[in-house]
């Protein structure tokens, strides 16, 4: 039943765009993956720095993800955006995401402030 809903949302053209431009799509996802790795590293370094300086870790968990091609296409279709790679970059701000979990609310602000002070 879910497949019928997906077929109603997506059409053959949307899959053709990705199939015909697989290398361009993979390149775009590579950029998102590299950005995630860079930001994750910054958070890990911050956490280690707090452990070294204050003998505590404000970050308890770091998780990341990249939106699946199907999910990207569904979101483009839902918002009436064109099925292009530039449209993905321009219109979708949640293709890649990182979730940082802290034990205490005050740690959230501490970590955010520390991240913003970095180069």
């Amino acid at each position: 039943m879910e497949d019928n809903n997906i077929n109603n949302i997506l059409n053959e053209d949307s899959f053709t765009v990705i199939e015909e431009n697989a290398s361009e799509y993979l390149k775009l996802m590579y950029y998102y993956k590299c950005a995630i790795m860079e930001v994750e590293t910054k958070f890990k370094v911050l956490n280690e720095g707090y452990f070294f300086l204050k003998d505590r870790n404000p970050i308890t968990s770091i998780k990341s993800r990249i939106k699946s091609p199907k999910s990207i296409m569904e979101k483009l279709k839902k918002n009436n955006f064109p099925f292009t790679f530039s449209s993905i970059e321009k219109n979708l701000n949640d293709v890649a995401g990182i979730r940082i979990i802290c034990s205490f609310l005050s740690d959230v602000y501490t970590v955010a402030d520390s991240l913003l002070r970095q180069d």
Side-chain angles (χ1 to χ4, degrees):
M1 187 167 201
E2 182 181 324
D3 288 339
N4 289 338
N5 291 336
I6 291 170
N7 288 333
N8 290 337
I9 294 171
L10 303 174
N11 58 35
E12 190 64 33
D13 293 338
S14 59
F15 290 107
T16 303
V17 168
I18 286 188
E19 285 177 356
E20 290 177 353
N21 299 288
S23 64
E24 189 176 346
Y25 176 78
L26 292 174
K27 182 179 177 183
L28 180 61
M29 292 304 110
Y30 163 77
Y31 290 137
Y32 281 110
K33 178 67 177 170
C34 289
I36 283 177
M37 290 168 46
E38 185 175 335
V39 175
E40 278 183 329
T41 300
K42 287 180 179 273
F43 280 117
K44 288 176 183 178
V45 168
L46 281 174
N47 208 34
E48 286 299 315
Y50 276 102
F51 183 75
F52 178 73
L53 296 172
K54 302 191 183 219
D55 199 28
R56 59 183 296 272
N57 292 107
I59 299 172
T60 59
S61 175
I62 301 172
K63 297 189 187 225
S64 63
R65 64 108 179 114
I66 295 181
K67 199 178 266 293
S68 70
K70 182 171 107 179
S71 183
I72 289 170
M73 289 186 295
E74 287 173 344
K75 191 154 190 184
L76 289 172
K77 179 74 171 175
K78 177 181 148 189
N79 293 299
N80 295 316
F81 295 131
F83 290 103
T84 65
F85 298 108
S86 61
S87 178
I88 293 171
E89 290 180 283
K90 179 182 173 187
N91 299 308
L92 302 184
N93 59 10
D94 64 343
V95 173
I98 298 178
R99 174 177 288 148
I100 306 300
I101 299 175
C102 300
S103 295
F104 304 102
L105 184 59
S106 61
D107 288 339
V108 172
Y109 295 107
T110 300
V111 170
D113 288 341
S114 296
L115 182 66
L116 291 173
R117 282 190 303 238
Q118 286 188 348
D119 293 339

